Amino acid sequence: MAAHFGRRLRKGAATTAVAAAAVAALSASQAPGATGDDHGRQATAGASAPVPDPTGDDATGSSPYYTDLPPLNSPNPSPSPSAGTPVAQGAAEAGIPATVLDAYKKAEAELRASKPGCNLPWQLLAAIGKVESGQARGGEVDASGTTLRPILGPVLDGNGFALIKDTDHGAYDGNAQYDQAVGPMQFIPSTWAWAGRDGNGDGKKDPNNIYDAALAAGHYLCRGDRDLSQAADLHGAILGYNNSQDYLNTVLSWMEYYSKGTYSVPDGTGAAPGHRSDDGTPRTTPSTPAEPADPHQGKPGSKDQGGRPSPSPTPSKPGSGQDGGDPAPRPPGTPDPTTPTPTDTVDHLENAGTATAELTATAGDAFTGTISTRAETKAGAAVAKVRIRFTISGDTDATFTGGEDVATVATDSKGVAKAPALQAGEKTGDFKVTATVVGRSLKGVDYQATVTERPADTLTATTNGDTPLTCTPGGEFADQVQLKATYKGAVADKVAATATLIKSATDATENDKGPYFKDATTGKAVRTLTGLKTDAKGLLTLPKLYADDTTGTFLLRVTTPGGGTLTVQLTVAADGTATASPSPSPSASAGS
């Protein structure tokens, strides 16, 4: 067995002191005025009491994790060894396999761009990757970042672990009876179904790929309005990954250690940890006993080094030993797989009072209505502690708060799960939110929602200076029509507008002669423009106008959602005195 570079996280005063010291060091390093790699930010001093993730949907299913702690001494970067050369203990403690480290840093960069307020440090991803899989088993990944052999957690059948019945038909974990955590960041299939990301741009979301898994972990940690530079949000995010105080302390210790300095080592040469949270006792014999203890090896449904499914033992009677002998002891509080879970008792879902009228919002605004679903038995009784997945589908870019299009929430004591608040994007139209029971194939409940266009109720022509627009037949107007949009007196930004050369004040159909715009691609005459939008100040400048050989007076009408209307009078004259101005007639006034 390889040498152990960490120390085992033991129960007792010694471990408590070490973990407390590590957390204190982390808090001190993030306090105002602290030096070190703080990513250009300062966190508030002190830490509030950590709280579990409120959604009831932890990433790993509380699977076992590595408990080795980092050395007390700060890491000293050293030259990377040549490929294939094992790294000496001590030097390897701060080294992270090159591809794995690259995945963490790329995930941090993407989150800095998409969710800058989250302040995700790559060191947090590295710390979680360390305790979940030993940095993908020391960097056993190919050039694209996919693990050379699957990393699977134990079977979550309630026998010493959480009870999570199959949710993916074995697609990710090869187990069609119970779920198992998958990949270098150890996502359970039900969480990966909504949290999965494509981090390497190959068009797939693969939990066995470190780029995909690291980016998914980053988005998972950054859900909602979390700011990970704040201790309370940081702790809540980590506990959401695995709801254990010891897990929190271990991750914080490694995060602090990596923040003091690290370096890249060749893939496959990273140091392997040796201890895990279930005391290193495998439930079945590992396939390669000579290797360090691995919390993700030797479990039913796992795969061998060649990537082929290992023969899964015939499931023994729940609660019995693997060999069919004496019953295996069940830890206190562990669910009995033979006892129906709350999820098993759900017969159907019901709308818990969400009104369709509440599910309409203007583009860019938050929805005021809340989507609520109630889980019930066949007799209509409420079922608590059931995970409900809310999924957004449709052609709009609406999301839940935090930018996700899927969210999982546990039902409360009344059997009700409330989805996170909806946020409208800029794309208008109808979309659907579907509520389903995680782990069951029951019919879902659909909620229809709508994103409407931003409105403007008043359009006002802005000045073009002292020089009026001029044009001769066959020429072009010297200046462009400009206007400002407002709604209830406030600036109306990003409002869609349509500009049409119309036949008359009473006939808004498109004119077939007179002034025109030019198509930006073909240069041909067009007399209706759509897709126009006001800027951040509510201003809109129309493209340049041209005139054909027809002289006379013509009308240009601009309209917006919300009733905004502006009619501009255009006169084309042979003597060059053509002008463009708001029509003095009532039909040309703003808001008509």
Side-chain angles (χ1 to χ4, degrees), residues 218-568:
H219 277 279
Y220 182 92
L221 295 164
C222 286
R223 286 178 298 163
D225 296 324
R226 282 177 178 154
D227 177 359
L228 300 183
S229 67
Q230 304 299 315
D233 283 356
L234 173 65
H235 293 185
I238 296 171
L239 287 170
Y241 216 88
N242 191 319
N243 190 18
S244 160
Q245 186 67 42
D246 283 345
Y247 182 87
L248 171 66
N249 292 342
T250 308
V251 169
L252 290 176
S253 298
W254 280 106
M255 180 180 169
E256 168 65 9
Y257 182 74
Y258 287 136
S259 72
K260 293 178 179 178
T262 189
Y263 57 93
S264 172
V265 299
D267 292 343
T269 65
H275 300 294
R276 63 186 190 181
S277 56
D278 61 349
D279 294 328
T281 304
R283 297 172 63 211
T284 58
T285 303
S287 59
T288 53
E291 295 185 358
D294 186 338
H296 315 306
Q297 291 183 7
K299 307 297 187 292
S302 66
K303 299 181 181 179
D304 62 19
Q305 292 190 31
R308 300 181 302 276
S310 300
S312 297
T314 301
S316 56
K317 183 179 180 180
S320 66
Q322 288 288 336
D323 58 1
D326 294 334
R330 185 179 303 282
T334 302
D336 186 342
T338 63
T339 302
T341 66
T343 300
D344 294 329
T345 67
V346 177
D347 177 75
H348 60 274
L349 297 178
E350 294 285 349
N351 182 339
T354 302
T356 302
E358 298 175 339
L359 298 182
T360 299
T362 300
D365 289 349
F367 283 76
T368 57
T370 300
I371 292 177
S372 298
T373 300
R374 175 180 160 95
E376 297 182 353
T377 65
K378 190 173 184 178
V383 184
K385 299 181 180 180
V386 174
R387 292 188 298 164
I388 305 299
R389 179 176 296 140
F390 296 94
T391 305
I392 296 174
S393 60
D395 294 330
T396 73
D397 52 355
T399 64
F400 294 114
T401 301
E404 308 292 348
D405 57 10
V406 181
T408 305
V409 182
T411 57
D412 59 18
S413 60
K414 296 180 180 179
V416 175
K418 294 183 179 181
L422 284 167
Q423 175 66 45
E426 293 302 323
K427 192 172 182 180
T428 61
D430 297 328
F431 66 95
K432 181 174 63 176
V433 179
T434 302
T436 56
V437 179
V438 175
R440 294 288 303 278
S441 298
L442 299 174
K443 181 180 179 181
V445 177
D446 292 333
Y447 301 83
Q448 300 296 328
T450 303
V451 179
T452 60
E453 294 180 301
R454 293 172 182 259
D457 55 15
T458 303
L459 301 179
T460 305
T462 60
T463 179
N464 292 308
D466 297 331
T467 304
L469 296 176
T470 60
C471 183
T472 57
E476 63 182 53
F477 290 90
D479 285 315
Q480 294 162 263
V481 175
Q482 297 173 323
L483 57 89
K484 182 175 183 178
T486 57
Y487 182 68
K488 296 181 179 180
V491 167
D493 64 324
K494 299 181 182 179
V495 174
T498 299
T500 305
L501 278 305
I502 61 176
K503 290 184 176 180
S504 70
T506 57
D507 185 355
T509 58
E510 181 182 287
N511 206 338
D512 57 359
K513 58 185 177 181
Y516 61 89
F517 300 104
K518 284 186 178 179
D519 183 271
T521 302
T522 65
K524 293 182 178 180
V526 292
R527 291 184 169 85
T528 298
L529 293 179
T530 59
L532 304 171
K533 279 195 175 183
T534 61
D535 63 16
K537 297 181 180 179
L539 299 176
L540 173 63
T541 299
L542 299 184
K544 185 168 290 189
L545 278 162
Y546 300 84
D548 61 15
D549 293 334
T550 307
T551 60
T553 299
F554 303 89
L555 297 179
L556 167 66
R557 179 165 291 172
V558 183
T559 59
T560 60
T565 303
L566 176 68
T567 304
V568 177

Side-chain angles (χ1 to χ4, degrees), residues 170-182:
Y172 295 122
D173 55 16
N175 190 331
Q177 186 174 7
Y178 298 100
D179 273 353
Q180 295 174 250
V182 182

Side-chain angles (χ1 to χ4, degrees), residues 26-247:
L26 178 65
S27 297
S29 70
Q30 292 183 330
T35 60
D37 187 2
D38 64 355
H39 305 274
R41 67 177 186 273
Q42 290 182 335
T44 56
S48 60
V51 294
D53 186 89
T55 65
D57 189 31
D58 82 39
T60 70
S62 298
S63 292
Y65 58 91
Y66 288 117
T67 58
D68 299 80
L69 288 171
L72 293 176
N73 297 328
S74 297
N76 295 313
S78 60
S80 298
S82 60
T85 303
V87 182
Q89 293 301 323
E93 292 164 338
I96 299 177
T99 299
V100 178
L101 179 59
D102 184 56
Y104 296 149
K105 291 186 175 181
K106 278 185 167 58
E108 179 198 58
E110 197 279 339
L111 267 298
R112 292 278 172 174
S114 62
K115 296 183 179 180
C118 179
N119 290 310
L120 172 79
W122 67 260
Q123 288 89 346
L124 173 58
L125 296 176
I128 290 176
K130 180 69 174 179
V131 303
E132 291 295 346
S133 68
Q135 311 296 19
R137 292 199 185 102
E140 290 186 359
V141 296
D142 62 20
S144 69
T146 301
T147 55
L148 299 180
R149 51 194 175 113
I151 302 175
L152 292 174
V155 177
L156 299 176
D157 59 2
N159 187 14
F161 302 102
L163 175 59
I164 303 180
K165 295 185 178 181
D166 176 63
T167 61
D168 67 329
H169 304 291
Y172 295 122
D173 55 16
N175 190 331
Q177 186 174 7
Y178 298 100
D179 273 353
Q180 295 174 250
V182 182
M185 302 302 278
Q186 287 292 278
F187 279 96
I188 54 175
S190 61
T191 301
W192 183 261
W194 63 265
R197 292 292 190 279
D198 176 14
N200 62 352
D202 64 357
K204 298 184 295 183
K205 300 175 182 179
D206 183 3
N208 298 295
N209 182 278
I210 186 59
Y211 288 99
D212 294 0
L215 184 58
H219 277 279
Y220 182 92
L221 295 164
C222 286
R223 286 178 298 163
D225 296 324
R226 282 177 178 154
D227 177 359
L228 300 183
S229 67
Q230 304 299 315
D233 283 356
L234 173 65
H235 293 185
I238 296 171
L239 287 170
Y241 216 88
N242 191 319
N243 190 18
S244 160
Q245 186 67 42
D246 283 345
Y247 182 87

